[in-house]
């Protein structure tokens, strides 16, 4: 593998500092957006009675490493030699692991008034983590070496990983081999890569008792194919390039293949006990977050 030249502009101290400052400025912005988005969902859900949420008593369990002193029920603990935690229904749920596609295809946006697919995916994922943390849940990233934990430090850790992630491939694929058995999982991607890899991941996850949700994020232009005349189609990495003089002649075939891909994902989710939704970047992020939040609750029941 060739090494970058010391004179490469991408490796100069000035460029490295610029990139570091860009990440540093985006980091609190991501947390702020996620926290605001999570708050809108909590306000919308306020007062709803459902399993897995609220203050309903679930059971006592022995205290574990990581439980705070405030978590311990001293009255129950006083009747034995061990300490116990009064666990609520929501706190009884299992860990949630997230895979957020960071491939280059997620950098696409068809309009300056819309976020990239990757940005929308990160905001939704981070907001979900905020909600899980508020409910006492453990959460982590399936492909970033962040085991499931809870707390503000974990939120910061996840946010930093999401901001710094950028795979040098056109399309990403989930890895289910490192999902804890019996956990829940969320895969957020455009799912425009090899569908067999997604099927392999969901089958492996299901074999280990993992259930979850797929969120396919697409730009409206990817749904409408608003191209006509001479057009050059190029992958985000530049590895794939195709030029045509009659782009509109490709529309029907493209839309047919996209519909088939979405149907394939829906069918795969149904067969494995997962849930699927398609979210567009011109739609409110809260809509996807609320669906995802409720889907995980149903999956835990």
């Amino acid at each position: 593998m060739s090494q970058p030249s010391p004179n490469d502009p991408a490796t100069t101290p000035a460029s490295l500092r610029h990139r570091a400052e860009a990440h540093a400025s985006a980091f609190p912005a991501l947390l702020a957006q996620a926290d605001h988005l999570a708050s809108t969902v909590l306000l919308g859900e306020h007062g709803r009675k459902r399993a897995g949420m609220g203050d309903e008593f679930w059971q006592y369990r022995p205290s574990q490493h990581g439980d705070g002193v405030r978590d311990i029920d001293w009255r129950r603990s006083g009747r034995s030699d061990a300490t116990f935690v009064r666990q609520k229904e929501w706190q009884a749920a299992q860990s949630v692991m997230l895979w957020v596609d960071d491939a280059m295809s997620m950098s696409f946006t068809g309009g300056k008034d819309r976020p990239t697919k990757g940005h929308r995916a990160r905001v939704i994922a981070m907001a979900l983590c905020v909600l899980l943390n508020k409910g006492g849940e453990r959460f982590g990233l399936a492909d970033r070496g962040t085991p499931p934990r809870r707390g503000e430090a974990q939120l910061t850790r996840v946010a930093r990983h999401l901001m710094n992630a950028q795979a040098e491939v056109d399309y990403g694929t989930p890895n289910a081999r490192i999902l804890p058995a019996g956990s829940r999982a969320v895969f957020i991607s455009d799912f425009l890569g090899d569908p067999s890899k997604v099927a392999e991941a969901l089958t492996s996850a299901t074999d280990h008792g993992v259930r979850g949700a797929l969120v396919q994020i697409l730009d409206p232009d990817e749904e409408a194919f608003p191209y006509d005349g001479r057009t050059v189609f190029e992958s985000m990495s530049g590895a794939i390039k195709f030029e045509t003089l009659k782009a509109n002649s490709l529309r029907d075939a493209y839309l047919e293949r996209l519909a088939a891909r979405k149907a394939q994902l829906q069918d795969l989710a149904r067969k494995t006990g997962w849930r699927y939704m398609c979210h567009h970047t011109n739609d409110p992020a809260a809509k996807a977050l609320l669906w995802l939040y409720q889907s995980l609750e149903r999956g835990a029941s």
Side-chain angles (χ1 to χ4, degrees):
M1 180 181 296
S2 61
Q3 297 296 321
S5 167
N7 297 322
D8 187 338
T11 62
T12 63
S15 66
L16 291 175
R17 178 179 177 179
H18 177 73
R19 282 155 50 195
E21 289 175 347
H23 282 302
S25 62
F27 172 68
L30 174 63
L31 284 175
Q33 289 182 57
D35 193 61
H36 176 73
L37 181 56
S39 297
T40 63
V41 169
L42 286 177
L43 286 173
E45 290 290 275
H46 181 69
R48 282 192 59 197
K49 189 68 174 177
R50 62 190 183 281
M53 188 63 181
D55 296 325
E56 289 295 314
F57 172 72
W58 181 261
Q59 66 180 358
Y60 289 110
R61 66 163 174 78
S63 61
Q64 303 171 350
H65 177 69
D67 290 329
V69 175
R70 296 183 303 179
D71 299 325
I72 297 176
D73 189 297
W74 295 107
R75 180 175 296 180
R76 172 65 182 85
S77 302
R79 299 199 299 268
S80 66
D81 295 330
T83 55
F84 290 86
V85 169
R86 184 182 177 89
Q87 193 174 30
K88 300 172 185 177
E89 283 184 305
W90 181 240
Q91 294 170 327
Q94 298 162 335
S95 301
V96 177
M97 300 297 292
L98 294 90
W99 172 68
V100 183
D101 191 350
D102 60 357
M104 299 187 75
S105 68
M106 297 296 287
S107 300
F108 176 76
T109 178
K112 295 181 180 179
D113 59 332
R114 298 192 293 270
T116 65
K117 294 183 290 183
H119 179 78
R120 178 56 60 86
R122 290 189 293 272
V123 170
I124 292 174
M126 200 66 232
L128 178 62
C129 290
V130 171
L131 289 177
L132 295 171
N133 192 56
K134 288 180 182 295
E137 288 270 21
R138 294 174 296 168
F139 53 91
L141 296 176
D143 60 341
R144 292 291 161 185
T146 56
R149 296 190 180 96
R150 61 184 181 182
E152 294 301 316
Q154 180 73 345
L155 283 174
T156 300
R157 190 177 298 112
V158 168
R160 290 195 185 280
H161 278 303
L162 290 176
M163 287 307 306
N164 293 324
Q166 179 61 73
E168 298 297 323
V169 295
D170 277 320
Y171 303 106
T173 54
N175 182 1
R177 290 175 295 180
I178 55 179
L179 296 176
S183 64
R184 286 170 294 158
V186 174
F187 294 165
I188 307 178
S189 171
D190 55 15
F191 295 109
L192 296 179
D194 186 353
S196 67
K197 298 295 184 181
V198 181
E200 181 181 322
L202 259 66
T203 301
S204 174
T206 303
D207 289 343
H208 290 86
V210 178
R211 295 292 187 274
L214 303 176
V215 180
Q216 183 178 29
I217 297 185
L218 297 175
D219 185 273
D221 283 6
E222 292 175 316
E223 287 276 18
F225 199 84
Y227 308 110
D228 198 359
R230 181 179 181 274
T231 307
V232 177
F233 297 99
E234 187 173 5
S235 65
M236 298 304 292
S237 69
I240 304 173
K241 189 174 183 179
F242 175 76
E243 181 177 355
T244 178
L245 297 177
K246 298 180 179 180
N248 61 323
S249 66
L250 304 175
R251 183 175 292 114
D252 289 345
Y254 167 83
L255 294 177
E256 183 177 334
R257 291 192 63 179
L258 180 61
R261 173 62 58 88
K262 292 165 71 175
Q264 185 178 20
L265 290 169
Q266 286 179 296
D267 186 59
L268 179 61
R270 179 182 57 80
K271 289 180 178 178
T272 55
W274 283 50
R275 296 178 62 81
Y276 163 86
M277 86 163 297
C278 182
H279 173 72
H280 301 124
T281 54
N282 63 334
D283 288 336
K287 182 179 179 181
L289 179 61
L290 180 58
W291 176 89
L292 188 53
Y293 191 46
Q294 294 174 337
S295 294
L296 288 177
E297 288 178 1
R298 284 193 286 269
S301 61

